[in-house]
Every structure is written in structure tokens, then in C-alpha cells.
Amino acid sequence: GSLGDYPTHLRRANEQLAGFESLTAPTPTATTGLERTILLSGARGLTGPERQDALDQVSTQVTSSTAEVLAPLQQFVTLTSRSGKIPLNLENRLPYPVVVHVVLESVKLEFPSGNVIPVELEAATTTRVDVEVTTRASGAFPLKVSVQSPDGTLDVASTEFTVRSTAISGAGLVLSIGAGVESTS
């Protein structure tokens, strides 16, 4: 008989499992039960709804586990020079370590160490990640932070910083000094 949407749902469950396996690489046994559930979802004796229930269990487990990795709520940071470090505290509430990629995005910031930072988060702890940045301009602008599985298939957490830079660029400093000299003469 027809398998209906089962192949599509199976492919999605396998993608989620692969993402979760890349996340839990330090603890490979964390995904053992999920692999078994996916395999059992293809048993001949199961009905379509029973297959879907099995795959839904995998999705629910992956979602509830990744929800235990937290990024801080929106934060505000002030930089007083063109380069600096922005502290990012990531919390892993899981009883095992995980590996994540912190993906950074901003129009007005450059990331000397790259915009993707691999981080291992120890079990049941908060890890501080110092993000090196260089500003392209002064003013206030957003920094989007996404926490993903290393293979990029799972979005684990996200947050946004408002970065305020009070640094004056070299050209801005010259213009400011020039304007000051002009006004005194």
C-alpha cells in the first residue's frame, strides 16, 4: 500500500537526528533510543498514524533536549573603543556536554575570529564565550546571535544584542579636530 507522507516525515526525522547527533557528539549514547525509534517506525505492522506517532516522539525529544540549551535574553553592550569583547553566557541544562556553533551576524561589526564559533558546553553549567568584535562605525546597532547544531540543521537558541559604540574612527577624529580648529579661528 501507499506510505503517504511517511517518507517525507522519515527524512525530516533523520535530519533532526543527524543534527542532534552532531550536537551530542561528546556523548554518543544520548541518541541511541532515538535511532531505535526511527528504525521501528518502519515496521510493517504499524499503521500510518502509529508510524507518525513514532516519528513525532523523535521530534519531541530533540526539541525538548535542545530547549535545554539557552542563550541570554536581549542585552545591551557599550564599546568604548573600535575593538573589544562581548560576553555571551550560554547555559546547558542537559546532564551531558554538547557542542554548538555560535553564529554571529551584524552589518556594523566585524568578527576577527570569524562569525562562526564552535563551543563545547559542559553538562549542567553556564559557559562564557567572549566574542571578539571590531566596529565599523559609531552608534547603536543590532548583533544577532544564533546557536546551532554543528551541522547547521538545528536552531538551538537565539538572542540579539544592541551594541552601542562610542568609538570615533580615525577619519571621524580628524574631522572633529578639524571642525574644532576651524571654529576657534
Side-chain angles (χ1 to χ4, degrees), residues 136-152:
R136 294 182 184 164
S138 59
F141 37 86
L143 166 61
K144 294 180 182 177
V145 179
S146 300
V147 181
Q148 301 175 348
S149 61
D151 69 353

Side-chain angles (χ1 to χ4, degrees), residues 97-150:
V98 295
V99 175
V100 297
H101 280 183
V102 176
V103 181
L104 309 164
E105 183 183 338
S106 177
V107 175
K108 303 279 185 166
L109 293 173
E110 294 177 354
F111 309 102
S113 299
N115 72 321
V116 178
I117 304 169
V119 179
E120 182 166 342
L121 304 175
E122 294 300 322
T125 191
T126 299
T127 302
R128 179 178 164 146
V129 179
D130 287 325
V131 178
E132 293 182 44
V133 298
T134 302
T135 62
R136 294 182 184 164
S138 59
F141 37 86
L143 166 61
K144 294 180 182 177
V145 179
S146 300
V147 181
Q148 301 175 348
S149 61

Side-chain angles (χ1 to χ4, degrees), residues 12-13 15-17 19-21 23-24 30-31 34 55-70 94 96 153-157:
R12 177 65 186 135
E15 288 171 0
Q16 283 185 310
L17 178 61
F20 195 56
E21 285 174 333
L23 187 81
T24 61
T31 61
L34 298 176
L55 297 178
D56 287 346
Q57 287 177 22
V58 172
S59 180
T60 299
Q61 180 61 42
V62 169
T63 300
S64 66
S65 293
T66 57
E68 295 300 313
V69 178
L70 306 170
L94 294 167
Y96 48 83
T153 60
L154 296 178
D155 292 322
V156 178

